[in-house]
């Protein structure tokens, strides 16, 4: 593939940061970034016509993501944030070679944050889609960062449960027990390596808290909140980690000294989807607390 998408000569005033995901889940990452930098112009594209990516192969996901980046480059994006755990695992390394436009995935910064947090046990769990886990990408980067033991588990059922609004209660916790019962006891950090899993954190925390008799906290760009309190354990809490603070750090690095500049006077967001905009908007509200613009329908490649 010989595609060179070039960063144009846009001024800071119309700089746009683009976010891409297979669907709406990446809006949690988008929201963390615009929450911190409300004056940033942003674009969000969810490829819901070809969703889910989590059970597709690396070549297919790479092709889909390339088509998305070409579209976003044409919208004058200057940075592409791939918020999707699956596309980050199986496609971003290749996309970085092909495109001149900077492309940031969730793997590297996220793994380095997990490695720092797991300093005591050196044992980290990775929860993702089937192909995120099969790619071995998180495991490889965690090991390069000094994590000795990586326990991975594909939890594909969490994705439709979140979209059905079943992210708490009996059914959600039964799904958690099915996937997480054999997680080793000395895991300190659990990486939520799929866009949907932060919305499932309550059920994961209740299940792990009870199984391991430990408190559980969720750590994100918004800070740390306790989701489960164990009164009988003196062990440190298990940390559920989402990718938002590491993505925020990557965006900050890209913006450099201009991050808080008055020159960002846009605060415009354009939302694009590849299928059924009304349904897209409905599901999007599960992932964003802010009011969102109406999604515009586009088509990518040959669907
Ligand atoms: N966005 C995907 C991810 O983070 C989850 C949904 C899908 O399978 O496409 O891996």
């Amino acid at each position: 593939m010989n595609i060179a998408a070039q960063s144009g000569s846009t001024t800071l005033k119309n700089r746009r940061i683009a976010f891409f995901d297979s669907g709406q889940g990446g809006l949690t990452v988008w929201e963390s970034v615009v929450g911190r930098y409300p004056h940033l112009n942003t674009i969000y594209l969810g490829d819901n016509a070809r969703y889910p990516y989590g059970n597709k192969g690396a070549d297919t996901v790479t092709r889909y993501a390339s088509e998305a980046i070409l579209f976003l480059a044409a919208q004058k994006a200057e940075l592409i944030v791939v918020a999707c755990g699956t596309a980050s695992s199986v496609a971003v390394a290749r996309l970085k070679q092909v495109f001149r436009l900077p492309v940031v995935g969730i793997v590297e910064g996220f793994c380095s944050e997990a490695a720092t947090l797991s300093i005591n046990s050196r044992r980290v769990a990775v929860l993702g889609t089937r192909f995120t886990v099969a790619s071995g990408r998180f495991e490889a980067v965690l090991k390069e960062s000094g994590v000795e033991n990586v326990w991975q588990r594909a939890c594909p059922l969490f994705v439709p449960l979140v979209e059905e609004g079943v992210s708490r209660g009996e059914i959600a916790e039964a799904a958690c027990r099915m996937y997480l019962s054999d997680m080793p006891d000395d895991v300190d950090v659990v990486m939520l390596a799929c866009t949907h899993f932060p919305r499932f954190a309550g059920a994961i925390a209740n299940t792990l808290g009870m199984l391991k008799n430990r408190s559980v906290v969720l750590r994100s760009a918004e800070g740390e909140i306790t989701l489960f309190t164990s009164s009988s354990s003196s062990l440190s809490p298990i940390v559920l980690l989402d990718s938002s603070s590491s993505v925020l750090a990557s965006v900050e690095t890209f913006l450099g000294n201009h991050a808080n500049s008055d020159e960002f006077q846009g605060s415009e967001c354009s939302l694009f989807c590849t299928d059924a905009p009304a349904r897209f908007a409905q599901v999007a509200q599960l992932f964003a607390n802010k009011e969102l613009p109406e999604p515009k329908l586009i088509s990518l490649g040959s669907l």
Side-chain angles (χ1 to χ4, degrees):
M1 211 179 333
N2 181 20
I3 309 160
Q6 204 164 2
S7 173
S9 59
T10 43
T11 65
L12 286 172
K13 225 172 162 178
N14 56 20
R15 188 184 289 250
R16 301 175 103 189
I17 310 277
F19 296 80
F20 161 62
D21 181 32
S22 56
Q24 299 90 329
L27 283 165
T28 55
V29 171
W30 167 83
E31 195 165 63
S32 298
V33 173
V34 297
R36 185 71 60 89
Y37 299 113
H39 300 302
L40 221 50
N41 290 321
T42 55
I43 316 171
Y44 184 94
L45 167 61
D47 187 11
N48 59 326
R50 304 187 288 194
Y51 164 97
Y53 282 11
N55 55 13
K56 297 196 170 71
D59 288 347
T60 303
V61 172
T62 306
R63 177 162 53 82
Y64 289 175
S66 303
E67 290 165 3
I69 292 178
L70 283 175
F71 170 79
L72 294 168
Q75 306 299 308
K76 296 202 168 28
E78 293 205 3
L79 171 71
I80 311 281
V81 176
V82 178
C84 177
T86 309
S88 294
S89 304
V90 305
V92 163
R94 174 103 179 87
L95 298 172
K96 282 183 172 172
Q97 293 169 346
V98 170
F99 289 93
R100 270 193 278 159
L101 195 65
V103 178
V104 172
I106 68 161
V107 179
E108 277 77 11
F110 195 13
C111 286
S112 119
E113 191 183 1
T116 308
L117 288 171
S118 69
I119 208 85
N120 292 329
S121 70
R122 287 274 169 228
R123 193 185 275 274
V124 169
V126 179
L127 312 184
T129 63
R130 218 180 282 290
F131 266 88
T132 294
V133 167
S135 76
R137 180 85 187 126
F138 276 87
E139 183 172 22
V141 177
L142 283 166
K143 291 206 161 157
E144 278 163 22
S145 314
V147 175
E148 281 154 20
N149 296 293
V150 180
W151 183 83
Q152 300 194 90
R153 182 54 46 90
C155 310
L157 257 187
F158 293 175
V159 172
L161 285 174
V162 168
E163 296 203 0
E164 281 302 312
V166 184
S167 48
R168 284 201 168 263
E170 249 175 72
I171 296 174
E173 288 178 25
C176 290
R177 282 195 299 280
M178 183 174 94
Y179 292 128
L180 306 178
S181 293
D182 58 341
M183 189 182 94
D185 289 342
D186 55 355
V187 163
D188 280 337
V189 179
V190 177
M191 298 176 76
L192 306 179
C194 169
T195 47
H196 287 54
F197 296 0
R199 289 291 180 267
F200 213 64
I204 297 171
N206 275 353
T207 308
L208 287 180
M210 283 188 279
L211 283 171
K212 308 295 175 194
N213 192 20
R214 283 172 75 179
S215 296
V216 184
V217 299
L218 172 66
R219 202 178 157 109
S220 69
E222 281 71 49
E224 197 169 283
I225 50 167
T226 300
L227 295 180
F228 182 89
T229 306
S230 163
S231 45
S232 58
S233 168
S234 56
L235 292 171
S236 61
I238 298 172
V239 179
L240 305 185
L241 186 62
D242 88 4
S243 63
S244 56
S245 52
S246 54
V247 170
L248 191 56
S250 301
V251 172
E252 267 164 0
T253 304
F254 174 78
L255 293 171
N257 294 332
H258 301 291
N260 291 310
S261 159
D262 288 345
E263 291 165 280
F264 288 103
Q265 290 176 4
S267 61
E268 280 167 19
C269 171
S270 305
L271 194 58
F272 296 97
C273 63
T274 53
D275 193 23
R279 174 68 186 148
F280 186 91
Q282 217 176 16
V283 175
Q285 289 306 334
L286 293 171
F287 296 99
N289 296 311
K290 289 181 189 307
E291 207 180 309
L292 296 167
E294 291 236 332
K296 294 178 203 132
L297 182 65
I298 57 144
S299 101
L300 293 175
S302 49
L303 295 173

